Amino acid sequence: MKISDILRHKGSSVVTIAPPESVRDLLGRLAEHNVGALVVAEGDEVVGIISERDIVRRLNERGADILDLPVSELMTASVVSCSPDDDVDAIAGSMTELRIRHMPVLNGDKLAGIVTIGDVVAGRIRQLEQDRGQLEQYITQGR
């Protein structure tokens, strides 16, 4: 199974935010779209990612003053990404090893979607259910 299979199922919509926007604006967008992370983009270029976890850690370190800071001061600039052609199992392994829950999908330099660890698990479950159905059909037809 490829990452493109997951995107076909969930869609390729990605909520983004610009680096100069405030953390307060970021929080509003996270809540509005019911997501746990936003891709930070300047135009079409991905320049970072920021998650709820990033915000909670900075709140603990620096207090509520971070709400007025630009997203660029809290984002992770070294973005780990994948491509639509990547194998889901390999990406699941990378996400687990790197302890990341959100991974932008880039088709070349263009943002093509985002996958979460939940998307990866759900995709794997769908694949296992499909395999089970095929095995059951094979067994019942062989009788």
Side-chain angles (χ1 to χ4, degrees), residues 3 39 71 81:
I3 292 296
V39 172
V71 168
S81 63

Side-chain angles (χ1 to χ4, degrees), residues 110-129:
K110 185 178 178 201
L111 186 59
I114 190 165
V115 292
T116 67
I117 195 70
D119 297 330
V120 169
V121 169
R124 189 66 182 122
I125 289 170
R126 278 192 307 278
Q127 182 66 50
L128 289 170
E129 288 172 348

Side-chain angles (χ1 to χ4, degrees), residues 58-118:
R58 295 321 177 288
L59 272 170
N60 182 56
E61 294 167 1
R62 297 169 59 180
D65 291 342
I66 70 159
L67 296 176
D68 296 317
L69 291 176
V71 168
S72 60
E73 288 198 30
L74 302 182
M75 72 182 191
T76 300
S78 57
V79 179
V80 177
S81 63
C82 61
S83 82
D85 295 329
D86 285 338
D87 181 72
V88 170
D89 290 338
I91 295 306
S94 295
M95 293 176 93
T96 301
E97 180 182 321
L98 298 171
R99 298 180 54 89
I100 58 176
R101 297 181 295 158
H102 305 86
M103 189 177 287
V105 181
L106 301 178
N107 195 355
D109 288 340
K110 185 178 178 201
L111 186 59
I114 190 165
V115 292
T116 67
I117 195 70

Side-chain angles (χ1 to χ4, degrees), residues 5-49:
D5 297 321
I6 290 176
L7 293 180
R8 245 188 317 282
H9 186 265
K10 77 170 270 188
S12 59
S13 176
V14 182
V15 183
T16 63
I17 192 162
E21 292 187 63
S22 73
V23 173
R24 191 177 309 275
D25 293 337
L26 166 73
L27 291 173
R29 205 162 302 160
L30 287 169
E32 175 187 349
H33 295 282
N34 195 29
V35 294
L38 296 184
V39 172
V40 183
E42 288 181 321
D44 291 336
E45 182 184 357
V46 173
V47 296
I49 191 164

